[in-house]
Amino acid sequence: EDNFVNEIDFGMCEEDIEYIMQKPYVMTGSDGEAYSLDIEAQPHPRSFGTFPRFLRLVREHELMPLEDAVYKITGLPAQILGLTDRGILREGAVADITVFDPEAIRDCSEFTDSVKKPEGIRYVLVGGNVVLQNGISTGSRTGGVLKKR
């Protein structure tokens, strides 16, 4: 693997994860890394599917309203991290927006085949620039590292 080795552990059951997901003070995040779809290694599936998986579980198990699920991915992490110009849709905020089909969004990554694009995401804007249009990358490389002020 050219020194590119990941470890995958299984330490929680699905019922416990769903119980924790429903707590109003629990945000959704990932320690996955950002990779291009042309990577030759097999990183952990979370690198490609954390948030679509969360939204699929919310939908299939009716864990909470969709609005609450989206807030756990966007507004709550921004609030906790002190990012006052991100995480909610309002005038003057940075336009980081994902447009998805709530009935179709799902992760496709598997532990043995992790480099798979999720389904159901139509558009992604980063800083107001379209980076995914009709499910296809525009090639735009906008964005950057955020530093807490």
Side-chain angles (χ1 to χ4, degrees):
E1 295 294 323
D2 294 322
N3 290 322
F4 189 84
V5 179
N6 283 304
E7 175 185 350
I8 299 171
D9 296 313
F10 299 92
M12 296 181 71
C13 68
E14 199 77 19
E15 293 82 16
D16 287 347
I17 293 169
E18 291 175 9
Y19 173 78
I20 294 166
M21 286 170 57
Q22 294 179 71
K23 298 298 179 190
Y25 50 82
V26 173
M27 69 178 182
T28 301
S30 173
D31 62 352
E33 297 178 55
Y35 294 106
S36 170
L37 288 169
D38 61 5
I39 186 173
E40 293 185 25
Q42 288 297 316
H44 194 288
R46 73 172 59 100
S47 293
F48 294 94
T50 296
F51 302 106
R53 176 183 168 93
F54 175 77
L55 293 169
R56 178 185 58 80
L57 289 171
V58 165
R59 177 185 69 236
E60 290 179 357
H61 298 276
E62 300 178 346
L63 300 175
M64 67 192 77
L66 178 62
E67 295 83 358
D68 292 351
V70 169
Y71 178 70
K72 286 174 165 285
I73 295 171
T74 59
L76 184 56
Q79 178 184 351
I80 290 169
L81 294 171
L83 303 172
T84 58
D85 61 345
R86 296 172 191 270
I88 59 171
L89 295 175
R90 67 168 169 73
E91 188 174 336
V94 176
D96 292 337
I97 302 169
T98 299
V99 178
F100 63 92
D101 178 343
E103 296 302 318
I105 193 162
R106 71 178 193 90
D107 58 316
C108 297
S109 298
E110 302 168 11
F111 289 108
T112 57
D113 188 13
S114 63
V115 184
K116 290 186 173 181
K117 186 169 72 168
E119 294 179 356
I121 298 176
R122 306 293 183 240
Y123 296 90
V124 176
L125 288 82
V126 177
N129 299 297
V130 178
V131 299
L132 189 79
Q133 185 170 5
N134 295 318
I136 300 169
S137 173
T138 65
S140 176
R141 298 279 185 193
T142 58
V145 176
L146 298 177
K147 294 182 180 181
K148 190 170 181 176
R149 298 178 200 120

